[in-house]
Amino acid sequence: MRNNQPVTNIETFLDDNTVILSKTDLKGIITYVNDDFIRISGFTEQELIGQPHNIVRHPDIPPVIFKDLWDTIKKGEPWSHPVKNRRKDGGFYWVVATATPSFDDNGKITGYVSVRKKATEKQKEETTRLIQKINSGGKIKTIGFSPASWIANIKIYSRLLLLTLALILPIGFFVYLAIDKHLEDYAFYSKEQKGTEVLLQLNKFIQNVAIHRGMSGAYLNGDLTFESKLSEKEKEISESVEELDRLEKKYSTELAISGKWKLIRQEWIDLQKEYKTLSVSENLDKHSDLISKALNFNKHLGDSSNLILDPFSETYYLASACINFLPYHAEAMGQLRARGVLIFSAKKKNPEDMKKIIELRNEVDFYFRGLVDTLQSIRKPDVYRELALKLTEAVNGNNEILNLAKNHLIDPEKIDYSHSKYMEETSRIINSNLEFQTNINLLLNKHISLRMEKLNHRLIFLAFGSLLFLLFAIAFVALVIRSIRIVIDESTSKIKTIARGTGNLNVSLYGKSNDEMNLLLKWVNVVILNFAEVLFLIRKESLIFLSRFVDLLPQAMRFLYIF
């Protein structure tokens, strides 16, 4: 880089009418200077013509500024910036330099034109700070980041894109949150649905084991007619076990049921093998212990499958009925049946048996009252309507088994009721209760499935709606940017043509739209037309002057000839 020395702190000030003009070739060699350039710089015309334009470069100005100048004008674009120049005597002067390429008729760059005018005090101060920061850090980016200046330096269409992104991104973020919430809800209800699927099979298993308990008690008490019935019931239990094995493999991780179910399954297998060798009371206790473990597993399922956390009242109460009341009510009825069969088979009762029967009867009543209160808490009419009839039947069945226990076990002094008839009556009621329990489970599963279906539809609508909105937004922004870009590109092309001296000054820069861009171009067009008018008047006056000069030239020649 050329380092012009020496320098002084003496500043030469330009007035408002000073216009410094110079031309260079493609290599920056000066080919023309005007009088203001000669006067302000202190050089003679002979000292300037043929010299590199950096003859007036001040050493304070960093190379990066002139690199930016050359990079810009070589691309065919104008460049403008406040600059500190050096005079011949070492002093300096401030100008706002505007450099533009010169073009031939074919649009090829043939050289460069530089026009310099007076710089304001503010421009001097800002550029001085800029120079100091660049010289101290060596990089322009050490100046710091200004969002306003950054936005001002990007193209209009890029600004529109940024504006679009600024609008779309928050919308997209909220759409993402909505979709994520829907997916989270869908996963929640899906887990609930899987829980109801396991609960349904588990309740069948519990009810069949309870029936097996009563049958095996009667068999061990000497009623061999139950042997074939026991075989059939064991087949039903085996089917439930197989189905629960399948569900355990399918949902073991998600519902955390693997270890708990395997223990219950193994206990049933062991009981099936040994119950015929047990006493009546041992058989009763072992069956009851197995059912107790299955009921605990039932509670675990309510927690692990989110059923007990359901946020909607109708499904929450249905789930609560399936987990907290129906299984325990059924077990209390099952034990009431089993112990009643033993008493009727022995045809005698003792205080301990009666105490247990009364406790079991109270349990049946307690759990059923809780069940009814829970189901009546459902305020959604369509849901309650679906279970109202079945609930009435369940109320009748519950009252019937309570009366059976009271009238044939608790109140009479002597046992004269047939154990097989008691078994038949209680089994009919318990089977009806099992059907009611299954209906509640299915109703719960149905409403969870309906909710998942609605969520699925919302997800599809949200996803496709968002996609369509995004495509529409992109298409709309593309059309807007295209319309603006066409106006800008066409007008820029026309102005460039005029600036290169090859265009028609009467050309129309604006289009048919009534937007701000076209309004601006209309006023630019007015300025160009006014300039064209000035040129026309100058040309007209010049022609008149030239015509008069030609007319006076013979007279002047004669006058000179005489003298």
Side-chain angles (χ1 to χ4, degrees):
M1 173 187 169
R2 181 166 179 164
N3 190 352
N4 297 315
Q5 294 291 344
V7 293
T8 68
N9 289 324
I10 301 171
E11 181 178 0
T12 299
F13 296 92
L14 280 68
D15 58 39
D16 293 335
N17 297 320
T18 300
V19 178
I20 298 173
L21 178 64
S22 60
K23 294 182 180 180
T24 71
D25 61 15
L26 294 173
K27 293 182 179 180
I29 303 301
I30 298 173
T31 58
Y32 169 79
V33 292
N34 71 345
D35 291 340
D36 283 345
F37 191 172
I38 295 168
R39 177 173 58 83
I40 297 298
S41 69
F43 291 96
T44 64
E45 184 177 1
Q46 292 75 18
E47 289 174 320
L48 291 170
I49 299 298
Q51 292 297 315
H53 205 285
N54 61 15
I55 190 173
V56 292
R57 178 182 294 174
H58 197 282
D60 286 353
I61 303 296
V64 67
I65 290 180
F66 291 102
K67 182 181 182 303
D68 181 55
L69 181 153
W70 281 104
D71 288 345
T72 303
I73 59 177
K74 281 181 178 179
K75 289 188 292 186
E77 298 176 3
W79 180 92
S80 184
H81 202 281
V83 174
K84 182 180 183 181
N85 282 339
R86 177 185 176 275
R87 284 174 47 84
K88 181 180 178 180
D89 59 12
F92 66 93
Y93 58 97
W94 281 96
V95 292
V96 176
T98 301
T100 56
S102 298
F103 301 89
D104 60 16
D105 292 343
N106 297 319
K108 184 179 178 181
I109 298 176
T110 57
Y112 304 101
V113 177
S114 177
V115 179
R116 277 93 75 202
K117 295 198 72 177
K118 176 185 175 181
T120 64
E121 291 302 317
K122 184 179 178 181
Q123 288 172 326
K124 293 178 189 180
E125 291 171 5
E126 288 175 352
T127 306
T128 300
R129 286 196 297 270
L130 173 66
I131 290 167
Q132 289 171 349
K133 288 177 181 179
I134 292 175
N135 287 335
S136 62
K139 292 182 180 179
I140 292 180
K141 62 184 179 183
T142 58
I143 298 168
F145 174 75
S146 167
S149 61
W150 177 74
I151 291 172
N153 285 318
I154 60 176
K155 294 186 176 180
I156 291 176
Y157 1 98
S158 299
R159 292 183 215 173
L160 287 171
L161 282 174
L162 285 174
L163 179 61
T164 305
L165 284 174
L167 293 173
I168 289 177
L169 285 178
I171 294 171
F173 177 70
F174 286 112
V175 168
Y176 163 76
L177 290 179
I179 291 175
D180 185 62
K181 181 65 170 65
H182 276 66
L183 289 172
E184 185 182 327
D185 290 345
Y186 191 87
F188 182 94
Y189 301 131
S190 176
K191 202 171 183 181
E192 279 192 311
Q193 192 179 44
K194 291 165 187 174
T196 60
E197 196 178 345
V198 179
L199 277 177
L200 187 62
Q201 292 303 321
L202 182 62
N203 286 328
K204 284 182 182 178
F205 172 79
I206 292 171
Q207 289 288 354
N208 284 326
V209 170
I211 294 170
H212 187 275
R213 175 179 55 193
M215 289 179 174
S216 60
Y219 172 79
L220 292 172
N221 219 20
D223 192 342
L224 300 179
T225 59
F226 280 99
E227 187 170 12
S228 59
K229 293 177 181 178
L230 281 166
S231 297
E232 289 176 9
K233 186 55 64 178
E234 285 168 16
K235 285 181 183 177
E236 288 181 33
I237 294 173
S238 295
E239 288 174 4
S240 293
V241 168
E242 286 176 11
E243 184 61 21
L244 282 164
D245 284 343
R246 183 186 70 80
L247 294 173
E248 182 263 335
K249 287 179 183 176
K250 193 174 179 182
Y251 305 136
S252 61
T253 304
E254 193 170 359
L255 298 180
I257 60 177
S258 180
K260 293 181 181 296
W261 166 244
K262 282 178 180 175
L263 289 173
I264 295 168
R265 181 182 184 276
Q266 188 58 48
E267 193 162 329
W268 159 248
I269 292 169
D270 295 340
L271 180 59
Q272 188 181 6
K273 290 176 182 176
E274 67 177 1
Y275 76 90
K276 289 181 180 179
T277 66
L278 301 173
S279 67
V280 174
S281 60
E282 286 175 339
N283 176 68
L284 180 61
D285 290 340
K286 290 231 175 207
H287 275 85
S288 298
D289 185 55
L290 175 61
I291 291 171
S292 177
K293 288 175 181 176
L295 289 173
N296 288 334
F297 182 45
N298 189 76
K299 282 260 189 188
H300 169 76
L301 269 173
D303 294 331
S304 65
S305 64
N306 299 328
L307 281 166
I308 210 67
L309 302 172
D310 193 286
F312 292 88
S313 61
E314 66 275 13
T315 39
Y316 170 78
Y317 288 121
L318 287 173
S320 182
C322 290
I323 294 163
N324 298 320
F325 295 103
L326 281 166
Y328 294 95
H329 175 252
E331 169 57 5
M333 286 198 299
Q335 286 208 38
L336 192 60
R337 174 180 59 187
R339 292 187 181 275
V341 167
L342 291 178
I343 292 170
F344 285 126
S345 297
K347 295 193 179 294
K348 63 178 180 179
K349 60 181 183 178
N350 56 58
E352 286 186 14
D353 288 338
M354 287 304 100
K355 183 181 178 182
K356 188 64 180 175
I357 291 295
I358 291 169
E359 285 178 1
L360 288 171
R361 187 178 180 277
N362 289 338
E363 278 186 33
V364 169
D365 189 49
F366 170 78
Y367 283 116
F368 193 76
R369 286 178 187 276
L371 173 65
V372 171
D373 289 342
T374 299
L375 294 178
Q376 286 179 342
S377 298
I378 298 172
R379 300 300 179 194
K380 206 169 182 182
D382 58 328
V383 179
Y384 189 77
R385 249 192 325 267
E386 290 182 74
L387 57 87
L389 181 61
K390 293 289 181 184
L391 182 59
T392 303
E393 292 176 4
V395 169
N396 294 334
N398 186 72
N399 291 334
E400 194 175 348
I401 201 168
L402 292 176
N403 291 331
L404 272 173
K406 184 177 185 298
N407 296 334
H408 296 290
L409 281 171
I410 299 171
D411 289 349
E413 292 184 8
K414 293 179 68 177
I415 300 298
D416 58 358
Y417 200 70
S418 166
H419 72 275
S420 58
K421 190 173 182 182
Y422 181 78
M423 180 75 177
E424 183 183 336
E425 288 295 316
T426 52
S427 294
R428 175 182 56 79
I429 296 167
I430 289 171
N431 287 338
S432 176
N433 182 72
L434 175 60
E435 185 182 342
F436 178 63
Q437 189 173 352
T438 302
N439 286 333
I440 298 291
N441 264 289
L442 292 173
L443 186 62
L444 174 61
N445 187 277
K446 172 188 171 183
H447 283 279
I448 290 172
S449 298
L450 285 172
R451 197 176 301 146
M452 288 174 67
E453 190 178 340
K454 286 180 181 177
L455 269 175
N456 197 36
H457 290 157
R458 284 182 201 163
L459 269 171
I460 292 170
F461 175 79
L462 195 59
F464 278 97
S466 302
L467 182 62
L468 287 174
F469 170 78
L470 182 62
L471 292 173
F472 172 78
I474 290 171
F476 180 76
V477 170
L479 286 173
V480 171
I481 290 175
R482 183 176 176 273
S483 66
I484 294 173
R485 189 164 189 166
I486 287 172
V487 174
I488 292 174
D489 288 351
E490 287 183 356
S491 302
T492 303
S493 176
K494 291 174 183 177
I495 291 172
K496 278 183 179 179
T497 304
I498 294 169
R500 292 169 184 174
T502 57
N504 180 7
L505 290 178
N506 291 318
V507 68
S508 176
L509 298 177
Y510 51 89
K512 297 179 180 179
S513 63
N514 292 316
D515 57 17
E516 294 86 349
M517 183 64 69
N518 268 292
L519 180 62
L520 173 64
L521 291 171
K522 283 178 181 178
W523 283 108
V524 172
N525 211 76
V526 169
V527 172
I528 292 172
L529 289 175
N530 288 340
F531 179 65
E533 184 179 358
V534 170
L535 288 178
F536 174 76
L537 290 173
I538 291 172
R539 183 180 296 174
K540 181 180 176 181
E541 292 299 322
S542 298
L543 289 173
I544 292 170
F545 174 78
L546 185 60
S547 175
R548 289 178 178 175
F549 178 76
V550 170
D551 290 342
L552 291 172
L553 187 59
Q555 296 179 29
M557 292 297 292
R558 281 197 299 271
F559 181 76
L560 289 171
Y561 179 75
I562 293 171
F563 285 93

